[in-house]
Amino acid sequence: MKLYFSPGACSLADHIALIESGLPFEMEKVDLEAKRTASGTDYMVINPKGYVPALGLDEGGVLTENIAILSYIAELSGKLTPPRELGRSRVLEALAYISTELHKGFKPFFMPSSSGEEKSLACEVLAKRFALFEVALGHHPYAVGDSFTVADCYLFVMLFWAKEKVGLDVPASLSAYYERLRDRNAVGTALKDEGLA
């Protein structure tokens, strides 16, 4: 498999998941402004959506969107998701929330035309949305229970953006969770691979 990524983008979640999974993979950096890969390929041919992540599959074809890629990695590896059906559904529930409520909430910080007022409002909304995970972590060490899953890979990236890119204050329990995840081998390796640590 080949992961098309941009350093520090949401593709970092897939990078972490691939390392955790133990599955063999390659990576290719994408210049999102030029829409070209490091090898000079037109990225729009690989992924017409023009953004990362994209995962080139061994059997051919390309998979896009974090929820799909993270679910695929978990299913293919047999890791990173709880074994019972409801556990897998809880992971999908968390992934959907992270994607639609947290990830999209950062948009004003990545748009040059966003005003200070738009960014301030986004901070307020994100703080409320992160608070739901604060409650969950009050009872469990990970996003969806007692084991590390692909939801943690994605949530880590959202916290990375909040703390390292935006300077958003997150609840103490989420801050401690973030630091614990930074200490995981797969997280540290992915950050180093992408030049972020």
Side-chain angles (χ1 to χ4, degrees), residues 3-23:
L3 176 65
Y4 295 91
F5 79 103
S6 181
C10 62
S11 51
L12 175 60
D14 310 281
H15 188 177
I16 294 166
L18 282 164
I19 295 170
E20 284 275 355
S21 74
L23 295 168

Side-chain angles (χ1 to χ4, degrees), residues 27-165:
M27 294 177 59
E28 187 159 0
K29 186 176 174 180
V30 177
D31 180 332
L32 293 174
E33 287 186 25
K35 305 296 185 199
R36 306 223 49 103
T37 70
S39 64
T41 303
D42 180 355
Y43 186 60
M44 297 301 287
V45 173
I46 296 164
N47 180 9
K49 296 172 184 174
Y51 53 77
V52 293
L55 186 67
L57 305 175
D58 289 339
E59 62 271 18
V62 173
L63 190 61
T64 65
E65 304 298 333
N66 260 324
I67 295 174
I69 294 171
L70 290 168
S71 297
Y72 179 76
I73 293 166
E75 184 178 321
L76 190 62
S77 69
K79 301 176 183 178
L80 303 173
T81 189
R84 290 182 297 279
E85 187 175 327
L86 183 58
R88 290 191 298 273
S89 296
R90 290 291 184 206
V91 168
L92 284 173
E93 177 183 39
L95 289 174
Y97 182 80
I98 294 166
S99 180
T100 61
E101 302 303 322
L102 291 176
H103 188 161
K104 290 291 184 187
F106 282 97
K107 187 174 182 179
F109 300 103
F110 302 125
M111 302 294 290
S113 60
S114 295
S115 68
E117 184 179 340
E118 288 170 315
K119 291 177 183 177
S120 179
L121 179 59
C123 281
E124 290 177 28
V125 171
L126 284 166
K128 290 175 184 173
R129 292 176 179 168
F130 273 122
L132 285 175
F133 277 108
E134 178 188 21
V135 172
L137 290 173
H139 306 291
H140 301 287
Y142 296 105
V144 190
D146 295 326
S147 62
F148 184 87
T149 70
V150 288
D152 295 288
C153 300
Y154 204 174
L155 182 56
F156 173 82
V157 176
M158 297 301 100
L159 289 167
F160 177 80
W161 289 358
K163 293 175 77 62
E164 311 291 337
K165 292 191 175 190

Side-chain angles (χ1 to χ4, degrees), residues 173-187:
S173 61
L174 279 178
S175 193
Y177 163 84
Y178 172 77
E179 294 303 329
R180 273 193 301 112
L181 292 193
R182 273 193 83 106
D183 289 339
R184 285 184 78 89
N185 181 56
V187 174

